[in-house]
Amino acid sequence: IDSPTSQGTNALLKSMGHIVTSVNDVLDVLSTKGLEFKREAAEHVADTKEEAILLPLLNRHPKHLDQIIRESGLLVSLVNTSMTMMEIKGKVRHVGGNHYIIS
């Protein structure tokens, strides 16, 4: 990762996930920079029955997707689809590592 010829590859990996090439990379991931935590589950209106189940499970504290699936009792495919759609709608926010918060 320290090789000058790896800069392009490292940049590509950074854009898709978290790669650590310096202590600053760790601090960036651990900081809440860019995360605007809002008060608990805001006034989001559920557009589907799945959203009605999922939205109350989320708050300003990051929750792992596996935990959301367990708590919801929904099929994995329904949770994945619903979370993606809610993210597009701005109702939830993916904060990395398969963790989500309410927006």
Side-chain angles (χ1 to χ4, degrees):
I1 62 172
D2 293 327
S3 170
T5 59
S6 296
Q7 289 178 350
T9 306
N10 289 344
L12 179 63
L13 290 171
K14 273 186 178 181
S15 72
M16 296 187 308
H18 301 291
I19 183 171
V20 177
T21 57
S22 70
V23 70
N24 289 331
D25 293 333
V26 174
L27 295 175
D28 286 342
V29 171
L30 294 178
S31 76
T32 56
K33 184 179 92 178
L35 295 179
E36 297 175 12
F37 290 125
K38 296 183 180 177
R39 300 210 167 179
E40 299 295 320
E43 300 84 31
H44 291 299
V45 177
D47 297 327
T48 66
K49 63 181 180 179
E50 291 82 15
E51 287 185 14
I53 294 169
L54 295 169
L55 284 170
L57 300 177
L58 300 168
N59 56 44
R60 64 180 178 90
H61 301 287
K63 186 178 280 191
H64 195 275
L65 185 61
D66 290 343
Q67 185 177 355
I68 296 168
I69 292 167
R70 278 192 305 275
E71 290 178 8
S72 72
L74 297 171
L75 295 173
V76 173
S77 59
L78 288 175
V79 174
N80 283 329
T81 302
S82 298
M83 295 303 286
T84 299
M85 291 307 297
M86 288 192 296
E87 188 175 5
I88 290 169
K89 295 175 188 176
K91 295 180 181 183
V92 301
R93 190 159 174 202
H94 182 251
V95 294
N98 280 333
H99 287 82
Y100 289 86
I101 61 170
I102 198 83
S103 290

